[in-house]
Amino acid sequence: THHYENFQVVSFLLPKRLHQDFYNVYSFCRWADDLGDEIGNTAESLRLLAWWRGELQAMYAGERPKHPVFVALQGTTKQYQLAITPFDDLIQAFEQDQTVTRYQNFEQLFEYCRYSANPVGRLVLGLCGYHDEERYALSDATCTALQLANFWQDVTVDLGKDRVYLPLDLLAKHGYPVELLWERKFDDRFRGAMREAVDVARGLFLKGLPLADRVDRRLAIDLELFSRGGLRVLDKIEQQGCDVLTARPSISKIERVGILLGALR
């Protein structure tokens, strides 16, 4: 609850009986992410992520966990029959972050999101008792859209890590050399590429929206909050002329209240 990069993983709408289990799963994700991004050394991050996977595999093999996160997580995975795959997929994504910093096209980027984002939605569904492919598919669309919206608003943040998530062929299509990103060169070429990128993310949000009609009302409101918040980020990007190189779009507190009220209706 105190990480600088935290988000509100448990809302007041979520049944209290699920709070601790959500925290247990989130703690695993937070630790794995930090082992990938906060160490500052590729070889050491890969070593630590391999250790984290070993702890995960040992827990699922029935061994007594040693790390506090896995001590907490073991009961959650058993109670809700959570498979090892989404946890392992997340580790794979953080490992990929250490060696892959460019994506040629959206297909490659979607494949990355399959590991970096979609497992989170599937774990949330599992905690709420849903394990079917129909809901998984809708959740995947929403989670990938959220990941893309985060990438589009954080272009300059990722540049600081030498990562470019805008597909290279999209930039080339609009005649924008990737090297200009580091110069914060904003022009019509970049605007065109960003508009297309925003449209792709928005389409995925719209594809995933029906999920809210297929889950418990409390979870549905949370899902709507995430989706509407992501869509609002995309709107903000467009409102500032798609310039995410000189200004980072953000949602104000008043806008967040409006999103919440809209979801509660």
Side-chain angles (χ1 to χ4, degrees):
T1 59
H2 293 79
H3 195 281
Y4 78 93
E5 200 176 288
N6 216 4
F7 61 86
Q8 191 65 29
V9 66
V10 172
S11 81
F12 71 93
L13 298 165
L14 193 69
K16 191 171 183 179
R17 62 181 175 80
L18 291 174
H19 285 197
Q20 188 59 56
D21 294 301
F22 266 73
Y23 285 131
N24 296 346
V25 169
Y26 180 74
S27 294
F28 168 90
C29 301
R30 182 73 272 157
W31 262 77
D33 194 358
D34 285 353
L35 293 178
D37 269 358
E38 302 295 328
I39 303 303
N41 180 283
T42 296
E44 183 65 3
S45 283
L46 289 172
R47 184 188 73 81
L48 289 170
L49 286 167
W51 161 72
W52 199 243
R53 177 180 282 112
E55 295 294 300
L56 175 70
Q57 292 172 339
M59 184 194 75
Y60 269 91
E63 297 181 22
R64 184 175 180 178
K66 301 176 182 178
H67 192 281
V69 167
F70 290 101
V71 171
L73 186 62
Q74 186 174 52
T76 297
T77 58
K78 287 182 178 179
Q79 180 177 351
Y80 296 95
Q81 300 180 333
L82 302 179
I84 191 174
T85 302
F87 294 105
D88 191 74
D89 284 350
L90 286 168
I91 295 175
Q92 181 171 329
F94 300 133
E95 289 174 331
Q96 184 170 325
D97 282 336
Q98 305 306 308
T99 57
V100 180
T101 59
R102 308 285 189 276
Y103 293 87
Q104 185 61 39
N105 49 49
F106 271 111
E107 286 71 24
Q108 291 182 3
L109 190 58
F110 291 157
E111 180 67 10
Y112 169 70
C113 292
R114 172 194 163 194
Y115 295 97
S116 69
N118 299 358
V120 176
R122 292 182 175 223
L123 287 170
V124 168
L125 287 176
L127 288 171
C128 295
Y130 303 109
H131 298 276
D132 59 281
E133 291 301 322
E134 179 187 7
R135 291 184 179 88
Y136 281 165
L138 294 172
S139 172
D140 288 350
T142 299
C143 289
T144 293
L146 285 166
Q147 179 79 90
L148 295 183
N150 186 61
F151 286 155
W152 304 163
Q153 74 173 349
D154 282 345
V155 169
T156 57
V157 174
D158 292 325
L159 287 175
K161 304 173 184 177
D162 191 34
R163 294 176 187 169
V164 177
Y165 292 104
L166 283 165
L168 299 183
D169 67 351
L170 175 65
L171 294 174
K173 173 184 174 181
H174 292 272
Y176 188 89
V178 67
E179 294 78 16
L180 294 183
L181 290 173
W182 279 268
E183 299 177 19
R184 307 296 194 269
K185 176 66 175 179
F186 177 72
D187 56 22
D188 286 341
R189 295 172 298 174
F190 181 83
R191 180 184 289 109
M194 182 54 64
R195 279 176 176 166
E196 190 168 338
V198 166
D199 285 342
V200 170
R202 182 177 285 115
L204 286 167
F205 272 123
L206 297 178
K207 180 179 179 180
L209 282 178
L211 179 60
D213 296 325
R214 292 167 171 78
V215 296
D216 175 82
R217 180 56 182 161
R218 284 188 171 184
L219 178 59
I221 294 175
D222 269 344
L223 292 175
E224 283 194 44
L225 287 173
F226 279 113
S227 293
R228 293 187 187 203
L231 285 167
R232 184 60 185 141
V233 167
L234 299 180
D235 291 342
K236 297 276 282 191
I237 291 174
E238 289 183 325
Q239 287 170 10
Q240 62 189 44
C242 292
D243 181 4
V244 294
L245 295 179
T246 62
R248 184 181 185 274
S250 61
I251 302 176
S252 68
K253 290 184 179 180
I254 293 177
E255 288 173 312
R256 292 182 188 278
V257 171
I259 290 170
L260 174 60
L261 292 176
L264 289 171
R265 281 202 299 265

